[in-house]
Amino acid sequence: MNRENIAVTNGRIQGMGNLGVYLETHSARIDKVSLVSNGAGGAVIFGGLINDSIAESNGGAGVFGLDIDVRGSVIRDNKSFGLEAYGKSVYADNRLCGNNQNAAQVNNKPRQTGSNVSGEASCP
């Protein structure tokens, strides 16, 4: 089954009992999507880009992934890490706050490639 070049754009995914989005592909794109109050987490993605999106008040990580690029997003008030990423993951120009009970906002695996702002004042 070919699962390449999947795009989720311009919408809101809210209140799912498990994950808001689960994409097992090497070329996914989540763009301008709000992932809000989903039971197990906002998005799980294996390869691709999350851009200009919101992950808020999810029951696990706001964003969890492998080999992902997270840019220009707001990730706030998630039960676990705001961003939990592995492999060759990178993140830049994001605002993170209130995740993981105000402890670490990002696990120590992804590489920061641009300005990211963390703390309560960073999130509207």
Side-chain angles (χ1 to χ4, degrees), residues 50-78:
I50 297 176
N51 184 61
D52 195 22
S53 293
I54 297 170
E56 177 178 23
S57 301
N58 293 291
V63 174
F64 179 97
L66 174 68
D67 299 337
I68 60 174
D69 186 348
V70 182
R71 300 200 174 261
S73 295
V74 175
I75 304 172
R76 63 180 168 225
D77 299 328
N78 295 287

Side-chain angles (χ1 to χ4, degrees), residues 60-109:
V63 174
F64 179 97
L66 174 68
D67 299 337
I68 60 174
D69 186 348
V70 182
R71 300 200 174 261
S73 295
V74 175
I75 304 172
R76 63 180 168 225
D77 299 328
N78 295 287
K79 187 164 183 124
S80 184
F81 289 111
L83 173 60
E84 185 172 356
Y86 299 89
K88 296 178 182 175
S89 295
V90 296
Y91 66 114
D93 306 321
N94 300 290
R95 292 179 285 160
L96 300 110
C97 66
N99 301 294
N100 199 20
Q101 298 178 341
N102 288 316
Q105 301 296 296
V106 179
N107 70 326
N108 64 356
K109 303 298 181 185

Side-chain angles (χ1 to χ4, degrees), residues 25-39:
T25 176
H26 298 289
S27 57
R29 182 178 179 95
I30 297 174
D31 191 38
K32 295 181 176 79
V33 174
S34 293
L35 303 154
V36 180
S37 299
N38 296 294

Side-chain angles (χ1 to χ4, degrees), residues 1-7 23-29 46-48:
M1 181 180 284
N2 186 359
R3 295 181 184 152
E4 301 301 320
N5 301 313
I6 296 170
L23 296 172
E24 191 172 336
T25 176
H26 298 289
S27 57
R29 182 178 179 95
F46 296 94

